Amino acid sequence: MFSMKLELVCENSMCRLLALVGRNLGGYLDYVDSFKTASECDPYLAELSGSETCGSHSDGWGYAVVGVDRDGRLVSQHYRTTVPVFHDQEGLNYLKSMLSRYSLLSAIVHSRKLAEGSARIVNTHPLHFSWKGFEMWLAHNGLMDSEALSRDLSMSRISDITDTYYLGEYVYRALSCVNKKELVEALKNAARYTKTAMNTLIILYDDNKMITSISFYLTKNRMSNPSAFKYYKILTRNFGEFYAFFSSSLLHYLNSKESIEELPPQSVAIVEINLETTRIEDYSVHTLLY
């Protein structure tokens, strides 16, 4: 039994995710603190690995923040480090300051426990793609089929590069602009390459529009495994002009557990923001199944 659990863990990418979208996010800093604590002591990771002690996500962390400041100017900042998030209070404090300072924004945050690619900056999430004239940030939890993705992209497979790089290339190449329909379709097609999970956080934007997407997709054997499903599921808390999406283990450390719901499996949630009018225009959930 132990060897079976160990094999399952080795096939997984053990990461924690957090996305915050909306206005006045300075009132929700508890989510950042919970992200830090869940990255240091993850009870669901311990259950999945068959360990009696907390598992940690210690191979670096990072974030991307895009939004509008109080003077109406578009801002974009990112941060990546191989230092564990629970040892980087300075980086956390700066993220908190941005959440308090900007009037409308999207933030995606990721802590890593590596599966493919060593613990170095090039493999630390979120990853950036921008060669088409619009920008995309991507963070991912799970494991994709890098060999198949790189082959179908006509790219060389680099052994020490995270599978998320190839996932990002696949999604970004499928887009012609910042478009919800195209993004959903790209994620549907990308899901076919999933080896364990395709839980993603994406910020896609140009000067006029921003889309934040959160996907929760599992292979059939993960769907039927209670410990794996509990570990990978995405929770959400949405009301007014505040949207939060986060990995399941953050719930253990949140001060307020009211109005917490689960994102449906095999789906993607999308928040659309008009950056010219600084208005949240739409929130929708779409299936990733054909």
Side-chain angles (χ1 to χ4, degrees), residues 91-128:
L92 277 168
N93 287 342
Y94 191 74
L95 173 60
K96 288 180 177 181
S97 74
M98 284 190 288
L99 296 181
S100 301
R101 190 165 70 243
Y102 297 153
S103 60
L104 175 67
L105 61 81
S106 174
I108 59 173
V109 194
H110 177 280
S111 62
R112 185 172 184 241
K113 190 173 182 66
L114 63 85
E116 284 191 3
S118 59
R120 55 195 186 111
I121 289 294
V122 71
N123 289 325
T124 305
H125 306 199
L127 303 185
H128 186 228

Side-chain angles (χ1 to χ4, degrees), residues 16-250:
R16 295 292 80 181
L17 303 173
L18 170 65
L20 299 173
V21 186
R23 297 185 185 278
N24 304 315
L25 298 186
Y28 301 99
L29 300 182
D30 181 36
Y31 286 86
V32 179
D33 293 329
S34 299
F35 171 82
K36 170 191 172 183
T37 310
S39 297
E40 183 173 16
C41 180
D42 187 342
Y44 292 167
L45 176 56
E47 180 181 336
L48 186 61
S49 61
S51 173
E52 296 182 358
T53 59
C54 271
S56 65
H57 307 268
S58 56
D59 295 313
W61 79 289
Y63 59 77
V65 175
V66 180
V68 179
D69 68 15
R70 299 195 184 281
D71 294 321
R73 295 172 296 198
L74 182 64
V75 293
S76 175
Q77 296 198 40
H78 70 276
Y79 178 82
R80 297 190 295 173
T81 177
T82 55
V83 176
V85 62
F86 43 89
H87 291 158
D88 188 13
Q89 193 59 49
E90 183 178 358
L92 277 168
N93 287 342
Y94 191 74
L95 173 60
K96 288 180 177 181
S97 74
M98 284 190 288
L99 296 181
S100 301
R101 190 165 70 243
Y102 297 153
S103 60
L104 175 67
L105 61 81
S106 174
I108 59 173
V109 194
H110 177 280
S111 62
R112 185 172 184 241
K113 190 173 182 66
L114 63 85
E116 284 191 3
S118 59
R120 55 195 186 111
I121 289 294
V122 71
N123 289 325
T124 305
H125 306 199
L127 303 185
H128 186 228
F129 303 84
S130 63
W131 48 269
K132 285 190 172 185
F134 54 90
E135 301 193 56
M136 184 179 85
W137 289 98
L138 167 68
H140 169 232
N141 179 28
L143 189 63
M144 307 300 292
D145 188 339
S146 300
E147 294 292 342
L149 277 167
S150 60
R151 181 189 65 241
D152 292 349
L153 289 166
S154 300
M155 298 176 66
S156 298
R157 172 71 178 100
I158 303 172
S159 60
D160 193 32
I161 292 295
T162 172
D163 56 303
T164 304
Y165 170 72
Y166 298 98
L167 171 61
E169 277 288 328
Y170 186 91
V171 172
Y172 190 73
R173 289 189 189 188
L175 304 174
S176 64
C177 60
V178 180
N179 180 278
K180 176 176 67 175
K181 184 177 180 180
E182 287 188 358
L183 179 58
V184 172
E185 191 68 15
L187 288 168
K188 278 185 179 181
N189 289 324
R192 297 174 300 169
Y193 297 89
T194 305
K195 294 180 73 172
T196 61
M198 191 186 74
N199 288 3
T200 63
L201 307 178
I202 292 176
I203 302 178
L204 180 67
Y205 71 102
D206 56 22
D207 291 339
N208 304 310
K209 184 177 183 179
M210 175 166 64
I211 291 173
T212 305
S213 73
I214 303 87
S215 71
F216 173 28
Y217 186 90
L218 297 178
T219 56
K220 289 182 179 180
N221 62 335
R222 265 66 185 179
M223 284 282 289
S224 60
N225 181 312
S227 294
F229 187 87
K230 184 190 298 184
Y231 171 79
Y232 280 112
K233 69 180 176 181
I234 299 292
L235 303 180
T236 179
R237 186 182 182 204
N238 308 331
F239 59 90
E241 292 188 302
F242 169 73
Y243 298 85
F245 305 88
F246 49 96
S247 295
S248 53
S249 48
L250 272 68

